Amino acid sequence: MHAEPLPRPQPLRFDNARGQPLAGVLHKPAGEARAYAVFVACFTCSKDIPVAVRLARALAQHGFGVLRFDLTGLGESGGSFNETDFESEVDDVLRAAAWLDAHAQAPHLLVGHSLGGAAVLEAAARLPEVRAVTTIGTPATLDHITDLLHSETEERHPDGSLTATIGGQRFTFAPHFLDTLARYSPTQAAARLNRAYLVMHAPADSIVPYGQAHALFDAAAEPRAFISLDDTDHLLRRQADVDYCADLISAWASRPLAPARTRR
């Protein structure tokens, strides 16, 4: 038996807090959606990196509607990246959730990869409809990102900003970007999450150490789950790894996303 073909992904636009257009893509399942989800990509990554596209498609095959999008100043979205910071990233997640609420259904699931995981942990507290959160390869402290930026810095500017090459692209990070990293803690966000939480991380992750995932898991309250991604790399470059994650997320989410009468 062959799975029913998925509908063609739907390109879309919505505005950020400054009225600048953000570009997104909505993946819908073949039938009625079990639930809708927002996927947030890794640090400086666009919505079109392979893991974002493949995971959104794989989750759609499991019955989820998934919105992936470009943060301000990245990919096809408007705005200037050097005017952004971690707070604006969280606000972009809230705007994506608002678009889903207005045009389909409020998201019940948030999935974040790397720094995107830190953003969804923060955003979840402001989205009462969210029932479940999954982070993949996410740091427990944003000092990890600060240290990465300083180690990759190629140029320091008189105003305190710095230029670094991340993932083959040059970015300039303003002082306020570093300031907001210092003010937020994914571990503290996990501790106050009060939603079903799935931590996924690879022991051999060369970008975010495996111990960071344990810190997030230890901080979170029940219901929580931890899944080791075996020999997966940070960017989940293999299709088999993406499919594995989607299978696990789908199975795990079946309980927190089930109607209340089913969960009794």
Side-chain angles (χ1 to χ4, degrees):
M1 180 181 294
H2 296 285
E4 188 176 347
L6 295 174
R8 184 183 298 275
Q10 172 191 344
L12 55 93
R13 296 263 173 175
F14 56 93
D15 288 345
N16 66 9
R18 297 184 179 185
Q20 298 162 328
L22 302 185
V25 175
L26 180 62
H27 293 254
K28 288 186 176 181
E32 183 178 355
R34 294 170 53 187
Y36 280 84
V38 173
F39 175 83
V40 185
C42 54
F43 183 43
T44 69
C45 297
S46 83
K47 69 181 184 313
D48 297 321
I49 63 167
V51 61
V53 177
R54 292 171 179 171
L55 188 58
R57 183 186 301 125
L59 287 173
Q61 289 171 338
H62 281 283
F64 292 93
V66 182
L67 171 58
R68 56 183 169 89
F69 69 100
D70 287 324
L71 295 162
T72 299
L74 295 175
E76 298 177 305
S77 286
S80 173
F81 179 79
N82 62 13
E83 295 178 353
T84 68
D85 52 33
F86 184 68
E87 289 177 351
S88 70
E89 179 169 337
V90 174
D91 192 74
D92 287 353
V93 178
L94 299 177
R95 299 284 171 151
W99 187 93
L100 270 181
D101 192 15
H103 295 87
Q105 182 187 86
H108 289 169
L109 171 66
L110 301 180
V111 182
H113 179 210
S114 195
L115 185 62
V120 301
L121 285 170
E122 286 290 339
R126 309 180 209 177
L127 296 170
E129 297 291 335
V130 168
R131 300 182 194 169
V133 175
T134 297
T135 57
I136 305 169
T138 293
T141 168
L142 298 187
D143 290 344
H144 176 80
I145 303 298
T146 303
D147 293 343
L148 173 66
L149 289 178
H150 285 300
S151 68
E152 298 296 328
T153 295
E154 298 163 357
E155 187 176 357
R156 299 182 186 274
H157 306 282
D159 65 354
S161 62
L162 53 87
T163 298
T165 297
I166 307 293
Q169 290 184 278
R170 282 173 61 88
F171 295 94
T172 296
F173 300 89
H176 62 82
F177 188 100
L178 301 177
D179 291 342
T180 59
L181 291 179
R183 292 203 299 271
Y184 286 88
S185 165
T187 303
Q188 292 177 12
R192 61 176 182 265
L193 183 60
N194 196 30
R195 317 288 168 85
Y197 181 31
L198 172 62
V199 181
M200 309 181 86
H201 210 110
D205 191 325
S206 62
I207 304 299
V208 179
Y210 191 53
Q212 303 260 318
H214 286 283
L216 289 174
F217 178 77
D218 290 343
E222 301 292 351
R224 58 182 179 163
F226 186 103
I227 294 176
S228 171
L229 296 178
D230 303 326
D231 61 347
T232 304
D233 68 293
H234 183 70
L235 291 175
L236 281 75
R237 289 184 173 89
R238 296 178 304 200
Q239 181 67 51
D241 295 331
V242 173
D243 292 340
Y244 180 62
C245 283
D247 290 347
L248 293 170
I249 293 170
S250 176
W252 165 81
S254 62
R255 177 155 294 187
L257 299 187
R261 63 180 182 276
T262 304
R263 290 184 274 125
R264 288 176 184 170

